[in-house]
Amino acid sequence: MNIEQNKHPAAAQAMACGTVVEPGLFRIEQRELPVIAPEGWALVDIAAAGICGTDYHIFEGKHPFLNYPRVIGHELSGRIARSTGNWAEGELVVVNPYLSCNHCRACRRGKPNCCSSIEVLGVHRDGGLCARIAVPEENLYPATGLSEIQAAMVEFLAIGAHAVRRATLSAEDRVLVTGAGPIGLGAALFARLSGAEVHLLDISQTRLAQAREKFGFTDTHLAGSDILSGPLADGFDVVFDATGNAKAIEAGFPLLAHGSRYVLVSVVKETISFSDPEFHKREAQIIGSRNATREDFETVMTAIREGRIDTGALCTLTLRLEDLPARFGELAEDREALIKAIVTL
C-alpha cells in the first residue's frame, strides 16, 4: 500500500485535507479554505477527528457507498469559526455528520439517520479531516463540559447508544455483543448502563482482555468456544453484531434465544443468509441500526459529563494531521489493540 504526503506548498486561503485518493493511497492534499457558509449552515474549525473502521474500510476499498477521491473524517469536534444567530465564535461543538434531506418519508417520521437521500460526511461527501468545514447548523450540538478530544468521540459512541435504544433493552435481558472493537464497546457500555447482563464475543484475546481490564466486562468469550452451555444454553435475548463480517453475522443466528432480537450494527457488502425454520421457531426479530440521532448524541454527552463513560480508556492515541500519512497504513493493518485514534488539527 502506498502512503505519501503531498509536498506542494499551501496556497493562500488553502487548507490541508486528509484524503484517500484511491484504495491504498492516503495523502494530505491542499483544498480551498471555506470562507462563506450557505444560509442555515455554519463554518466550523475542526479541533479533533476520530479515525474509525469506516475510514479504514475506505482506505482498504471495502466500503459499499463511496466514490474516490474522498476527504475522510466524520467523528468530529470543532469551534465555530464565525458567529451566527445561534452560535458564538469559538464555541465548541460536536458535529453530527449525517446530512439528511428533511423531506423524505423517513425524515418526516423523525428518522433522519436513515434518510433516503442521506449524505454522510467523509463517505458520500468530503469529510472533516481538514482545517474547516461548512455544516448545517441543525447538525451541530453544544459540547458544554467536554474537551475537544471527548467531543470527537461522541459520534462513534452514539452509534452504540442508538443500537441499544433500537433494541429496547431492559434489566431482564441477557445481551451478547459480537465484536469488541470501538462500536461494539460502545454498544456494550450503553447496554450495561441499561442494566442488562452483557457478554462480549470476539476472535481476539487482546480485545477481550482490554474489555475486561479497561472497562470491567467479566463475561467475555473467545469465538469458537462452546458459548451455549451451562447457564447460557438458552441463548441470548439480544445479540448485537459489530463485526463487519458476513460469516460472523450468520454465526450469530444460532446464539439467539427464543423470543429474541438480533441487532445488526455493522454494514457488509455480502448477502446474509440464515435458516428460516430456526428463525421462525424462535420468533426472533432482525433490527437494522444505522447511524444515530440527536437523542443518541445527547445521551452520550450526558453520560460523559456524568463520568459514566471513561473516554480516557477509549482513546488509545492522539496524533497530528501532518503525522498521519506516515502512520495510516500501520493503523489500518494492526487494529487489534487500537480502540480509538484521534487526530488533532
Side-chain angles (χ1 to χ4, degrees):
M1 291 181 176
N2 184 10
I3 311 292
E4 61 182 48
Q5 183 163 352
N6 192 326
K7 301 297 185 182
H8 297 297
Q13 295 297 305
M15 64 177 180
C17 299
T19 307
V20 179
V21 179
E22 60 187 37
L25 176 56
F26 173 84
R27 68 187 179 200
I28 293 179
E29 296 189 327
Q30 299 299 321
R31 301 284 182 93
E32 184 177 352
L33 181 76
V35 293
I36 299 175
E39 184 177 356
W41 292 48
L43 295 175
V44 178
D45 288 333
I46 299 300
I51 305 297
C52 86
T54 295
D55 300 313
Y56 298 127
H57 289 160
I58 291 170
F59 178 71
E60 295 164 343
K62 297 179 179 178
H63 199 284
F65 307 126
L66 186 116
N67 294 315
Y68 297 90
R70 180 64 68 223
V71 177
I72 59 172
H74 61 274
E75 300 178 1
L76 307 171
S77 72
R79 295 190 179 275
I80 299 299
R82 290 181 174 81
S83 297
T84 71
N86 299 311
W87 300 98
E89 183 176 337
E91 187 172 356
L92 182 64
V93 294
V94 170
V95 177
N96 179 336
Y98 318 126
L99 278 56
S100 56
C101 72
N102 296 321
H103 302 299
C104 72
R105 184 169 181 80
C107 288
R108 296 198 309 271
R109 291 170 61 84
K111 300 178 180 181
N113 59 299
C114 56
C115 166
S116 61
S117 302
I118 199 166
E119 291 186 302
V120 180
L121 295 177
V123 179
H124 305 95
R125 62 161 62 198
D126 285 337
L129 197 58
C130 58
R132 179 181 292 174
I133 59 171
V135 183
E137 291 193 52
E138 64 186 14
N139 284 66
L140 301 176
Y141 311 141
T144 309
L146 274 60
S147 70
E148 293 176 348
I149 299 294
Q150 288 177 320
M153 288 192 276
V154 171
E155 189 274 344
F156 91 84
L157 289 168
I159 299 290
H162 182 73
V164 168
R165 185 160 64 90
R166 291 277 289 151
T168 60
L169 292 185
S170 72
E172 288 73 39
D173 283 320
R174 180 195 294 158
V175 170
L176 176 68
V177 178
T178 305
I183 299 299
L185 283 173
L189 289 167
F190 283 95
R192 183 168 65 185
L193 288 176
S194 77
E197 174 190 327
V198 180
H199 297 246
L200 286 101
L201 175 70
D202 202 282
I203 61 173
S204 168
Q205 286 281 23
T206 299
R207 284 194 288 266
L208 292 176
Q210 283 192 134
R212 292 191 298 269
E213 296 162 9
K214 290 188 173 186
F215 305 101
F217 288 104
T218 56
D219 296 314
T220 61
H221 310 272
L222 190 65
S225 61
D226 183 14
I227 190 171
L228 297 181
S229 61
L232 303 179
D234 291 337
F236 296 87
D237 303 301
V238 182
V239 176
F240 295 91
D241 175 83
T243 65
N245 182 280
K247 294 299 182 185
I249 293 173
E250 292 177 346
F253 283 93
L255 305 178
L256 295 167
H258 286 243
S260 58
R261 285 100 69 200
Y262 197 1
V263 184
L264 302 183
V265 189
S266 61
V267 179
V268 297
K269 286 185 175 181
E270 297 89 343
T271 299
I272 302 301
S273 63
F274 56 91
S275 168
D276 184 65
E278 288 296 323
F279 181 77
H280 270 82
K281 184 172 69 176
R282 289 166 169 77
E283 199 185 44
Q285 300 177 52
I286 300 177
I287 301 172
S289 182
R290 188 179 186 196
N291 302 327
T293 67
R294 180 173 189 137
E295 178 179 349
D296 306 305
F297 280 75
E298 296 287 357
T299 295
V300 170
M301 288 190 283
T302 298
I304 293 174
R305 292 187 192 105
E306 294 177 350
R308 293 182 290 133
I309 297 293
D310 185 353
T311 54
L314 288 165
C315 182
T316 308
L317 66 94
T318 60
L319 66 164
R320 294 191 60 78
L321 176 59
E322 56 264 35
D323 300 323
L324 188 56
R327 300 287 304 277
F328 201 98
E330 165 198 337
L331 297 175
E333 290 174 10
D334 186 12
R335 305 201 295 270
E336 188 174 27
L338 181 67
I339 300 177
K340 183 56 58 179
I342 303 288
V343 179
T344 58
L345 294 98

